[in-house]
Amino acid sequence: MATSVEALVQEIDERMAHDVRLLTRWRLVHRTVGVLYTIILIFVPAVLAVGFTSSETPLGKTLLLIAAVVGGLNVTFKPYLHSQKRRADVNNMRRLRDQFRIEATAADDVKAVCEKYSALYAEMFEARGRELVDGHLGKEEIVKEETSRQ
Protein backbone atom coordinates (compact mmCIF):
# COMPACT_ATOMS: atom_id res chain seq x y z
CA MET A 1 0.00 0.00 0.00
CA ALA A 2 2.81 2.41 0.88
CA THR A 3 4.54 1.80 -2.44
CA SER A 4 1.37 2.65 -4.38
CA VAL A 5 1.00 5.92 -2.45
CA GLU A 6 4.66 6.72 -3.13
CA ALA A 7 4.10 5.96 -6.81
CA LEU A 8 1.08 8.27 -6.83
CA VAL A 9 3.07 11.07 -5.19
CA GLN A 10 5.89 10.57 -7.68
CA GLU A 11 3.48 10.58 -10.64
CA ILE A 12 1.83 13.87 -9.61
CA ASP A 13 5.25 15.39 -8.93
CA GLU A 14 6.51 14.31 -12.36
CA ARG A 15 3.41 15.71 -14.11
CA MET A 16 3.89 19.06 -12.41
CA ALA A 17 7.62 19.11 -13.21
CA HIS A 18 6.90 18.26 -16.86
CA ASP A 19 4.31 21.05 -17.05
CA VAL A 20 6.78 23.56 -15.58
CA ARG A 21 9.36 22.60 -18.21
CA LEU A 22 6.81 22.97 -21.03
CA LEU A 23 5.59 26.32 -19.73
CA THR A 24 9.15 27.58 -19.47
CA ARG A 25 9.94 26.44 -23.01
CA TRP A 26 6.79 28.01 -24.50
CA ARG A 27 7.41 31.24 -22.59
CA LEU A 28 10.83 31.44 -24.24
CA VAL A 29 9.37 30.67 -27.68
CA HIS A 30 6.62 33.28 -27.30
CA ARG A 31 9.00 35.92 -26.03
CA THR A 32 11.48 35.26 -28.86
CA VAL A 33 8.77 35.41 -31.52
CA GLY A 34 7.32 38.57 -29.97
CA VAL A 35 10.70 40.32 -29.98
CA LEU A 36 11.34 39.20 -33.57
CA TYR A 37 7.94 40.54 -34.68
CA THR A 38 8.61 43.85 -32.93
CA ILE A 39 12.02 44.22 -34.58
CA ILE A 40 10.54 43.53 -38.01
CA LEU A 41 7.75 46.04 -37.42
CA ILE A 42 10.30 48.69 -36.45
CA PHE A 43 12.89 47.88 -39.13
CA VAL A 44 10.74 47.53 -42.28
CA PRO A 45 8.98 50.93 -42.18
CA ALA A 46 12.27 52.60 -41.27
CA VAL A 47 14.02 51.07 -44.30
CA LEU A 48 11.22 52.21 -46.60
CA ALA A 49 10.95 55.68 -45.03
CA VAL A 50 14.67 56.42 -45.23
CA GLY A 51 14.71 55.41 -48.86
CA PHE A 52 17.12 52.48 -48.82
CA THR A 53 14.64 50.85 -51.16
CA SER A 54 11.48 52.00 -52.86
CA SER A 55 8.12 50.38 -52.30
CA GLU A 56 7.91 49.95 -56.10
CA THR A 57 10.88 47.53 -56.28
CA PRO A 58 10.45 43.80 -55.68
CA LEU A 59 12.40 44.16 -52.42
CA GLY A 60 10.17 47.01 -51.29
CA LYS A 61 7.02 45.08 -52.15
CA THR A 62 8.35 42.06 -50.27
CA LEU A 63 9.13 44.22 -47.23
CA LEU A 64 5.62 45.71 -47.30
CA LEU A 65 4.10 42.24 -47.53
CA ILE A 66 6.25 41.02 -44.64
CA ALA A 67 5.28 44.04 -42.53
CA ALA A 68 1.58 43.48 -43.25
CA VAL A 69 1.72 39.76 -42.40
CA VAL A 70 3.87 40.21 -39.28
CA GLY A 71 1.69 43.14 -38.15
CA GLY A 72 -1.43 41.00 -38.45
CA LEU A 73 0.17 38.10 -36.61
CA ASN A 74 1.49 40.41 -33.92
CA VAL A 75 -1.95 41.90 -33.27
CA THR A 76 -3.66 38.52 -33.37
CA PHE A 77 -1.27 36.74 -31.01
CA LYS A 78 -0.16 39.70 -28.90
CA PRO A 79 -1.84 38.40 -25.72
CA TYR A 80 0.40 35.32 -25.93
CA LEU A 81 3.56 36.84 -27.39
CA HIS A 82 3.91 39.71 -24.95
CA SER A 83 2.10 38.20 -21.98
CA GLN A 84 3.34 38.70 -18.46
CA LYS A 85 0.86 36.01 -17.45
CA ARG A 86 3.08 33.33 -18.94
CA ARG A 87 5.74 34.11 -16.33
CA ALA A 88 3.09 34.07 -13.61
CA ASP A 89 1.85 30.67 -14.84
CA VAL A 90 5.36 29.22 -14.56
CA ASN A 91 5.81 30.66 -11.08
CA ASN A 92 2.38 29.43 -9.96
CA MET A 93 3.16 25.91 -11.15
CA ARG A 94 6.54 25.92 -9.39
CA ARG A 95 4.94 27.19 -6.19
CA LEU A 96 2.16 24.58 -6.41
CA ARG A 97 4.72 21.83 -6.92
CA ASP A 98 6.82 23.02 -3.98
CA GLN A 99 3.77 23.23 -1.72
CA PHE A 100 2.71 19.74 -2.80
CA ARG A 101 6.14 18.28 -2.08
CA ILE A 102 6.30 19.94 1.34
CA GLU A 103 2.83 18.80 2.38
CA ALA A 104 3.37 15.29 0.98
CA THR A 105 6.51 14.78 3.06
CA ALA A 106 4.97 16.17 6.26
CA ALA A 107 1.46 14.73 6.01
CA ASP A 108 0.08 11.77 7.86
CA ASP A 109 -2.55 11.19 5.17
CA VAL A 110 -0.58 11.44 1.91
CA LYS A 111 -3.58 10.27 -0.10
CA ALA A 112 -5.61 13.33 0.97
CA VAL A 113 -2.71 15.61 0.02
CA CYS A 114 -2.51 13.95 -3.41
CA GLU A 115 -6.23 14.41 -3.95
CA LYS A 116 -6.06 18.06 -2.93
CA TYR A 117 -3.12 18.93 -5.16
CA SER A 118 -4.33 16.81 -8.06
CA ALA A 119 -7.56 18.85 -8.03
CA LEU A 120 -5.65 22.17 -7.76
CA TYR A 121 -3.35 21.15 -10.60
CA ALA A 122 -6.32 20.16 -12.78
CA GLU A 123 -8.03 23.52 -12.10
CA MET A 124 -4.90 25.47 -13.07
CA PHE A 125 -4.40 23.37 -16.19
CA GLU A 126 -8.04 23.84 -17.22
CA ALA A 127 -7.87 27.60 -16.64
CA ARG A 128 -4.79 27.88 -18.86
CA GLY A 129 -6.54 25.84 -21.55
CA ARG A 130 -9.58 28.11 -21.49
CA GLU A 131 -7.29 31.11 -21.81
CA LEU A 132 -5.53 29.66 -24.84
CA VAL A 133 -8.87 29.04 -26.54
CA ASP A 134 -10.59 32.27 -25.58
CA GLY A 135 -7.69 34.74 -25.49
CA HIS A 136 -8.59 37.82 -23.52
CA LEU A 137 -12.11 36.55 -22.90
CA GLY A 138 -10.59 33.64 -20.99
CA LYS A 139 -8.81 36.05 -18.67
CA GLU A 140 -12.02 37.90 -17.98
CA GLU A 141 -13.84 34.62 -17.19
CA ILE A 142 -11.11 33.54 -14.79
CA VAL A 143 -11.23 36.89 -13.00
CA LYS A 144 -15.03 36.66 -12.76
CA GLU A 145 -14.81 33.09 -11.41
CA GLU A 146 -12.19 34.06 -8.84
CA THR A 147 -14.21 37.06 -7.64
CA SER A 148 -17.37 34.96 -7.41
CA ARG A 149 -15.55 32.34 -5.29
CA GLN A 150 -14.45 34.94 -2.76
Side-chain angles (χ1 to χ4, degrees), residues 1 56 76 90 100 128:
M1 180 71 172
E56 300 301 319
T76 303
V90 173
F100 166 71
R128 284 198 330 261

Side-chain angles (χ1 to χ4, degrees), residues 30-64:
H30 290 160
R31 179 164 290 163
T32 303
V33 170
V35 168
L36 182 65
Y37 282 0
T38 303
I39 289 171
I40 289 171
L41 289 174
I42 292 170
F43 179 74
V44 169
V47 166
L48 293 171
V50 171
F52 287 131
T53 186
S54 170
S55 61
E56 300 301 319
T57 64
L59 176 62
K61 290 178 182 179
T62 304
L63 288 175
L64 285 173

Side-chain angles (χ1 to χ4, degrees), residues 76-135:
T76 303
F77 297 109
K78 192 169 191 160
Y80 310 114
L81 298 177
H82 302 285
S83 176
Q84 294 297 323
K85 186 160 182 353
R86 181 104 18 219
R87 177 176 289 149
D89 285 343
V90 173
N91 291 337
N92 288 342
M93 273 308 305
R94 284 184 180 148
R95 189 182 64 213
L96 181 72
R97 183 173 179 234
D98 290 343
Q99 288 173 348
F100 166 71
R101 295 168 96 189
I102 289 168
E103 283 192 35
T105 57
D108 294 328
D109 187 10
V110 179
K111 184 180 173 190
V113 172
C114 288
E115 288 174 359
K116 172 185 169 185
Y117 280 93
S118 180
L120 285 172
Y121 173 72
E123 282 180 27
M124 288 178 70
F125 199 79
E126 183 180 339
R128 284 198 330 261
R130 274 196 316 263
E131 182 184 328
L132 288 174
V133 171
D134 296 338

